[in-house]
Amino acid sequence: MADRFMLEYAPKNSKRTQMHYKTTLGHALPFFGNMKLTSITPKRIAEYKAMRYSRGIKPGTFNLERAMFSKMFNVAIREWEWLKENSVSKVSRDRENNHRDRWLSIEDERRLLENMPEWLREIVLLALHTGLRQDELLSLTWDRANLLQRTIVIQKSKNGRARTIPLTSVAMGILEEKARIRNLKTDLVFTNTIGKKIGKSWVLENFIIARKKAGLDDFHFHDLRHTFATRLAQRGVDLYTISKLLGHVNIAMTQRYAHHCQESLRAGIAVLENSGHDLVTVGEIRNVSNA
């Protein structure tokens, strides 16, 4: 089943998805071996799951693998008529808690930037100063970058809503330089050497090389977005504002940065002290109760 799935179905998907399929099968085939499809029962899949967890994977990883297995079984049922039921559907997804609290220190940032090519350095710096997702950066067009108002407008975020990000001086510097040497044959801000959109796989390949040279093996491109939000929180920006800048649907998604907001909490309490009102003290309460 795996061979036919990879031959007929996998090519219909992106290269990244195909790579995921190959990686997953690399773990699964040694475990299931030459078992008949009818022998791959929910119990056997649960045993595979236990084996994978014993090797340190996270729930999100298993859920992705489970999704692929389920897809394979569904294709075998609907298109090939090899099976009558999907055993994978009887194995539940696991609750995910894969939140990472990984962000760059200033020294980490310096090492990372100095180990990457200039074209990637521009993208990474803009990510650090705007919190844009990778696809938002690579798809950014000049009609969304307003240099006069010093803003970037993401018309359709991941949540389907538009958001506006004010630009720092660093972000402005990058965009002004890109505008100066702009390729007039495309509206894209970032392009490859032939004026086309830069591929995610090319970004990933070069980013991995740079992070290894910088000694930052446990750092993903998406962690640049976490760094942006973490730095805002550490400098006292409230969670509501951070939520709006990130384009989160609700503030609950931004709560992961709450423990970085100590200065914002202090500022909130300071409002009471500076309110101009005479606040009741503990001593006054005691005097009243003893009267």
Side-chain angles (χ1 to χ4, degrees):
M1 178 170 69
D3 289 340
R4 184 172 179 180
F5 180 84
M6 292 302 294
L7 180 64
E8 297 181 10
Y9 183 82
K12 300 177 182 179
N13 296 271
S14 67
K15 290 183 178 179
R16 184 175 182 179
T17 299
Q18 292 181 54
M19 183 61 67
H20 162 63
Y21 287 165
K22 290 179 181 178
T23 301
T24 299
L25 288 175
H27 298 301
L29 291 179
F31 181 86
F32 292 107
N34 295 319
M35 292 178 61
K36 294 181 179 179
L37 291 179
T38 53
S39 298
I40 303 179
T41 61
K43 178 182 178 181
R44 192 65 175 142
I45 296 170
E47 291 171 350
Y48 169 82
K49 171 181 172 180
M51 180 275 291
R52 293 291 286 135
Y53 275 130
S54 71
R55 297 185 179 180
I57 69 164
K58 295 181 179 180
T61 301
F62 171 73
N63 287 340
L64 287 173
E65 294 180 355
R66 177 193 172 281
M68 179 198 169
F69 297 153
S70 184
K71 177 66 69 175
M72 290 176 64
F73 271 73
N74 284 335
V75 171
I77 292 169
R78 298 169 185 170
E79 299 183 21
W80 305 336
E81 298 183 352
W82 286 1
L83 296 167
K84 292 185 177 181
E85 65 176 7
N86 185 342
S87 297
V88 183
S89 64
K90 297 180 180 180
V91 179
S92 61
R93 284 173 48 88
D94 285 345
R95 184 173 181 176
E96 297 183 25
N97 184 22
N98 294 342
H99 284 171
R100 292 167 54 82
D101 191 23
R102 186 71 170 91
W103 47 278
L104 289 176
S105 67
I106 298 301
E107 175 58 24
D108 289 339
E109 178 184 337
R110 182 191 64 77
R111 294 203 316 274
L112 181 64
L113 292 174
E114 69 183 14
N115 281 290
M116 59 179 53
E118 180 63 26
W119 66 267
L120 182 57
R121 188 179 301 120
E122 294 172 340
I123 295 173
V124 167
L125 272 172
L126 197 60
L128 287 169
H129 284 263
T130 61
L132 294 182
R133 299 177 177 89
Q134 184 185 75
D135 188 61
E136 292 172 340
L137 288 160
L138 300 183
S139 302
L140 182 63
T141 52
W142 284 110
D143 61 326
R144 299 302 173 196
N146 191 323
L147 300 187
L148 292 178
Q149 295 185 4
R150 298 173 65 95
T151 60
I152 286 177
V153 177
I154 301 301
Q155 195 62 32
K156 191 173 183 180
S157 296
K158 187 177 179 180
N159 62 22
R161 301 176 183 177
R163 75 182 192 277
T164 299
I165 302 99
L167 297 175
T168 65
S169 58
V170 172
M172 277 294 297
I174 293 170
L175 292 176
E176 286 173 343
E177 177 60 20
K178 297 296 291 183
R180 188 180 67 81
I181 58 173
R182 175 182 173 182
N183 183 342
L184 297 179
K185 294 182 179 180
T186 178
D187 199 32
L188 289 168
V189 174
F190 297 106
T191 62
N192 58 21
T193 55
I194 59 173
K196 302 296 183 181
K197 182 178 179 179
I198 300 174
K200 290 183 179 180
S201 59
W202 184 237
V203 171
L204 178 61
E205 180 179 334
N206 282 271
F207 187 82
I208 290 175
I209 293 173
R211 79 180 186 192
K212 286 183 176 179
K213 288 181 178 179
L216 301 170
D217 290 340
D218 184 32
F219 191 81
H220 304 162
F221 190 95
H222 196 71
D223 292 332
L224 298 171
R225 180 170 159 87
H226 298 326
T227 299
F228 167 78
T230 298
R231 289 177 176 177
L232 290 177
Q234 290 174 337
R235 286 161 176 76
V237 178
D238 62 273
L239 290 180
Y240 177 81
T241 300
I242 296 174
S243 176
K244 291 301 181 183
L245 290 171
L246 292 176
H248 285 168
V249 176
N250 56 65
I251 200 169
M253 299 175 65
T254 321
Q255 287 295 328
R256 62 187 299 178
Y257 304 107
H259 65 288
H260 292 291
C261 290
Q262 297 303 315
E263 290 305 315
S264 180
L265 296 177
R266 291 191 185 96
I269 294 299
V271 170
L272 292 177
E273 295 184 344
N274 300 325
S275 63
H277 297 290
D278 293 327
L279 302 180
V280 177
T281 66
V282 173
E284 290 172 335
I285 293 175
R286 288 173 178 167
N287 291 336
V288 171
S289 63
N290 293 330

